């Protein structure tokens, strides 16, 4: 099993969710996040005063899935989230040793 974490621009969430649904991914966890990378933030003007916005709004997706779906999910996220501009985000893929559904006690792929 794999865990995919993706940090994307908030306005791309619906497109990414739709792309994942099309390949059969049913469950995702979405968290609002703030951060920066090479994008580094920007300066804004508020009531005549300039201030730096260091942390930009992002969305963090988490998906745990079978190994055979992982590459398709990564491609779906990448294609749907890409704008071609700096700050499009990152995708992290890691291995998961075990999944347990709390309600039923199911384990492994059955628990996803």
């Amino acid at each position: 099993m794999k865990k995919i974490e993706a940090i994307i621009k908030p306005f791309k969430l619906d497109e990414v969710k739709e792309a994942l649904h099309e390949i059969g991914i049913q469950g995702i966890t979405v968290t609002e996040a703030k951060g920066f990378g090479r994008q580094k933030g920007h300066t804004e003007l508020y009531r005549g005063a300039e201030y730096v916005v260091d942390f930009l709004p992002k969305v963090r997706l988490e998906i745990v899935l079978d190994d055979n779906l992982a590459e398709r999910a990564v491609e779906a996220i990448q294609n749907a989230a890409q704008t071609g501009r700096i700050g499009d985000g990152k995708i992290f893929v890691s291995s998961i040793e075990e999944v347990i559904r709390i309600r039923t006690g199911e384990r492994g792929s059955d628990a996803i």
Side-chain angles (χ1 to χ4, degrees), residues 37-51:
R38 290 185 187 160
Q39 200 175 7
K40 289 198 176 81
H42 61 280
T43 305
E44 287 190 4
L45 196 61
Y46 179 72
R47 294 190 174 183
E50 268 192 15
Y51 67 99

Side-chain angles (χ1 to χ4, degrees), residues 15-52:
E15 288 177 55
V16 170
K17 185 177 76 168
E18 217 27 67
L20 290 169
H21 183 71
E22 285 176 18
I23 64 167
I25 305 292
Q26 295 177 352
I28 64 173
T29 300
V30 178
T31 311
E32 290 182 13
K34 291 183 183 257
F36 68 91
R38 290 185 187 160
Q39 200 175 7
K40 289 198 176 81
H42 61 280
T43 305
E44 287 190 4
L45 196 61
Y46 179 72
R47 294 190 174 183
E50 268 192 15
Y51 67 99
V52 176

Side-chain angles (χ1 to χ4, degrees), residues 37 53 56 66 72 89 96 100 111:
V53 178
L56 301 170
D66 282 321
R72 288 176 55 206
I96 295 291
I100 300 137

Side-chain angles (χ1 to χ4, degrees), residues 53-69:
V53 178
D54 289 336
F55 296 102
L56 301 170
K58 302 288 181 185
V59 171
R60 178 177 164 201
L61 306 174
E62 293 177 87
I63 310 158
V64 176
L65 37 69
D66 282 321
D67 290 338
N68 60 351
L69 277 175

